[in-house]
């Protein structure tokens, strides 16, 4: 029997509904249909296959939005999340889903983007390359101080004197959608043990000395951010504390506390100082308290010096797999030239350099270009050069290059927004033999692939997702487009 005709007028905000979730939506949401046929997106820690009770939050013409009230029958894909902060800090939104199921959901996210956004229905999307480690994999964690602690639901009815933690101090992650409140963390399971040890030490130090916390409304206060970084190949460890001013005596005291606990494991301690009215974990001035101010990581055969604010893929082992997949898709020959657009600190450029005649990396951020040049020099790579370039003007820059440096292969690794439309037009006009697209956003990848394939200019090959971020909805992908 066909479902009865439905109308949005049948529903009200706050109405309780019950349904089975049959598909994944955006972020942490899942999708299902009510018996009468109305589509519903349910937000919360839900899994495909759950039967849930939910409360309607928005009423659209053709669908409802709702938030989870309770799971009435759990999905076979559901597991107990090991983190006590799950559901509050907003980091690991998929920790309650079996890892094998996470991988299939990520493949579906990529395939759906190509079908519905790019118009590549049924296109070949491989299973994601899985991570060997589900936990303890991040080489960087960035914590925020807050003078308004996010109170957990079970704390809301309690008087402040009955709370286990103070309400005016927190060190952790911002609560989802709340830049003024911070979830106080005891540990983050995505980081190795050193990071959580540093979190506990700095928290104890700050509370014992009653140090003030920067307030985003008054723009007053001392403590801003704690960033911890670890190089997995070398074991080097960095603590980076961002404050509103530099207090040399206080930093020396904290250095003694950190060194007393970590010993030789603590490679460097840096105090970043900023007066900017934002919450970005970056100092206008970096004062090195201990060590060289950088740590050194290895990727494949290459060594990289990582400063407190350097961009570096946060999952070291999976970054190697991502770059190997990029090299496989590019397949450069010894007589070819590769252009690496949005090259950042030059990791992909160096990965290509040993297989081609020369590499030209293009990047707009000056500090990244300096890092890229230093990385090439320190690794003995002599066939890579780097250009400061706004990529909207890429074609003009290529025309000014000598013929020997014009591209046979172009690798692009853009930010989440994807390629600028002018760059897509210029790439189609330049017609390199192959374009390899490394993406952190399946939607922009699918849209840009459609633009590059317009008028039969390029043919899209199979897409290979790579899972760099277990327990989150994020997925990287590599796609090669061959000139027709």
């Amino acid at each position: 029997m066909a479902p009865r005709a439905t109308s949005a007028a049948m529903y009200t905000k706050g109405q309780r509904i019950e349904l089975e979730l049959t598909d994944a939506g955006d972020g942490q949401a899942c999708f299902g249909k009510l018996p009468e046929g109305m589509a519903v997106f349910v937000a919360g820690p839900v899994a495909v296959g759950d039967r849930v009770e939910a409360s309607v939050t928005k009423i659209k013409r053709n669908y409802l939005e709702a938030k989870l009230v309770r799971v009435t029958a759990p999905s076979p894909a559901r597991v107990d999340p090991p983190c006590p902060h799950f559901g509050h800090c907003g980091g690991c939104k998929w920790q309650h889903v079996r890892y094998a199921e996470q991988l299939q959901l990520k493949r579906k996210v990529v395939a759906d983007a190509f079908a519905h956004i790019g118009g590549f229905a049924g296109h070949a999307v491989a299973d994601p390359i899985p991570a060997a480690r589900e936990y303890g994999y991040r080489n960087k964690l960035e914590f925020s101080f807050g003078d308004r602690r996010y109170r957990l639901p079970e704390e809301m009815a309690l008087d402040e004197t009955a709370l286990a933690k103070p309400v005016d101090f927190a060190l952790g992650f911002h609560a989802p959608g709340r830049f003024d409140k911070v979830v106080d963390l005891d540990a983050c399971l995505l980081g190795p043990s050193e990071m959580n040890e540093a979190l506990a030490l700095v928290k104890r130090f700050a509370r014992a000395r009653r140090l003030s916390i920067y307030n985003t409304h008054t723009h007053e206060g001392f403590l801003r951010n704690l960033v911890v970084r670890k190089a997995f190949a070398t074991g080097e460890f960095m603590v980076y504390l961002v404050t509103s001013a530099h207090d040399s005596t206080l930093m020396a005291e904290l250095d003694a506390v950190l060194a007393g606990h970590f010993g030789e494991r603590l490679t460097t301690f840096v105090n970043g100082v900023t007066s900017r009215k934002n919450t970005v974990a970056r100092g206008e001035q970096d004062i090195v308290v201990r060590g060289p101010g950088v740590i050194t990581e290895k990727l494949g055969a290459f060594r990289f010096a990582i400063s407190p604010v350097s961009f570096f893929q946060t999952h070291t082992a999976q970054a190697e797999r991502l770059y190997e997949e990029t090299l496989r898709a590019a397949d450069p020959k010894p007589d070819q030239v590769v252009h690496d657009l949005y090259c950042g600190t030059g990791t992909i450029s160096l990965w290509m350099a040993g297989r081609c005649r020369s590499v030209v990396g293009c990047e707009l951020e000056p500090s990244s270009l300096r890092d890229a040049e230093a990385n090439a020099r320190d690794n003995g790579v002599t066939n890579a050069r780097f250009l400061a370039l706004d990529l909207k003007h890429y074609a003009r820059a290529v025309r000014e290059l000598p013929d020997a440096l014009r591209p046979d292969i172009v690798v692009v690794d853009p930010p989440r927004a994807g390629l600028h439309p002018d760059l897509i037009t210029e790439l189609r006009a330049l017609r390199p033999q192959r374009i390899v697209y490394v993406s952190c956003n399946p939607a922009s990848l699918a849209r840009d692939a459609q633009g590059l394939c317009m008028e039969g200019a390029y043919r899209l090959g199979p897409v290979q997702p790579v899972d760099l971020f277990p327990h989150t909805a994020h997925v990287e992908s590599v796609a090669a487009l061959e000139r027709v």
Side-chain angles (χ1 to χ4, degrees), residues 272-322:
V273 181
T274 181
S275 59
R276 290 182 177 139
K277 295 180 179 180
N278 59 34
T279 58
V280 178
R282 174 189 288 257
E284 295 171 282
Q285 178 188 12
D286 287 340
I287 300 165
V288 178
V289 182
R290 171 179 294 270
V294 298
I295 56 175
T296 302
E297 179 64 292
K298 287 182 66 179
L299 280 180
F302 304 108
R303 298 175 70 87
F304 297 91
I306 304 171
S307 67
V309 297
S310 291
F311 172 78
F312 198 80
Q313 288 284 5
T314 53
H315 192 156
T316 305
Q318 284 299 91
E320 291 188 0
R321 294 181 175 90
L322 178 69

Side-chain angles (χ1 to χ4, degrees), residues 153-482:
E154 59 268 25
E155 296 180 307
M156 298 306 292
L158 299 177
D159 185 83
E160 288 186 15
T161 58
L163 299 176
K165 293 182 176 183
V167 296
D168 61 351
F169 181 96
L171 179 56
F173 300 141
H174 283 280
R178 297 298 303 265
F179 290 98
D180 59 336
K181 290 194 176 184
V182 173
V183 179
D184 187 67
L185 297 186
D186 299 315
C188 175
L189 300 187
L190 297 191
S193 61
E194 292 93 336
M195 296 183 180
N196 292 312
E197 293 167 31
L199 172 69
L201 287 169
V202 172
K203 186 186 297 187
R204 193 179 308 126
F205 180 89
R207 287 187 60 185
R209 286 157 181 77
R210 299 183 179 275
L211 300 180
S212 63
I213 295 174
Y214 179 76
N215 183 285
T216 55
H217 298 293
T218 66
H219 306 295
E220 296 176 346
F222 181 68
L223 296 171
R224 288 173 171 254
N225 302 93
L226 171 66
V227 180
V228 281
R229 308 188 77 149
K230 178 178 179 179
F232 279 79
T234 64
E236 296 182 10
F237 182 59
M238 171 192 291
V239 174
Y240 181 54
L241 184 69
V242 183
T243 58
S244 297
H246 177 63
D247 184 326
S248 58
T249 302
L250 191 68
M251 291 303 111
E253 291 177 4
L254 178 55
D255 178 58
V257 170
L258 292 169
H261 175 83
F262 287 109
E264 294 183 355
R265 289 188 295 162
L266 178 66
T267 311
T268 193
F269 170 38
V270 183
N271 178 207
V273 181
T274 181
S275 59
R276 290 182 177 139
K277 295 180 179 180
N278 59 34
T279 58
V280 178
R282 174 189 288 257
E284 295 171 282
Q285 178 188 12
D286 287 340
I287 300 165
V288 178
V289 182
R290 171 179 294 270
V294 298
I295 56 175
T296 302
E297 179 64 292
K298 287 182 66 179
L299 280 180
F302 304 108
R303 298 175 70 87
F304 297 91
I306 304 171
S307 67
V309 297
S310 291
F311 172 78
F312 198 80
Q313 288 284 5
T314 53
H315 192 156
T316 305
Q318 284 299 91
E320 291 188 0
R321 294 181 175 90
L322 178 69
Y323 297 148
E324 282 298 318
E325 184 59 31
T326 304
L327 180 62
R328 186 201 62 76
D331 192 25
K333 302 297 186 286
D335 61 339
Q336 291 184 317
V337 176
V338 177
H339 282 199
D340 178 16
L341 311 190
Y342 307 92
C343 70
T345 57
T347 45
I348 291 177
S349 298
L350 269 59
W351 223 264
M352 298 285 161
R355 290 271 296 272
C356 63
R357 177 158 52 86
S358 58
V359 178
V360 178
C362 300
E363 173 61 54
L364 190 58
E365 170 59 43
S367 64
S368 294
L369 279 172
R370 289 194 295 271
D371 286 346
E373 290 167 349
N375 286 330
R377 182 176 61 251
D378 294 346
N379 284 282
V381 175
T382 58
N383 64 334
R385 60 180 294 182
F386 299 93
L387 302 179
L389 182 62
D390 185 337
L391 289 167
K392 290 186 292 185
H393 311 303
Y394 173 64
R396 184 174 66 195
V398 170
R399 286 193 294 271
E400 293 172 356
L401 289 172
D403 290 346
L405 288 178
R406 294 190 178 177
D408 301 293
I409 299 167
V410 173
V411 178
V412 297
D413 186 6
R416 287 191 63 80
L419 303 180
H420 191 282
D422 292 349
L423 179 56
I424 293 175
T425 301
E426 294 191 345
L427 286 171
R428 285 210 318 270
L430 285 170
R431 292 180 59 77
Q433 175 183 324
R434 188 174 302 115
I435 299 170
V436 178
Y437 197 129
V438 183
S439 171
C440 62
N441 184 353
S444 56
L445 168 58
R447 180 202 65 211
D448 293 347
Q450 182 187 57
L452 291 166
C453 291
M454 283 177 59
E455 301 171 356
Y458 284 88
R459 181 183 299 111
L460 177 67
V463 180
Q464 177 62 68
V466 183
D467 186 25
L468 268 73
F469 306 103
H471 308 301
T472 77
H474 299 295
V475 60
E476 301 272 333
S477 301
V478 179
L481 298 104
E482 200 78 22

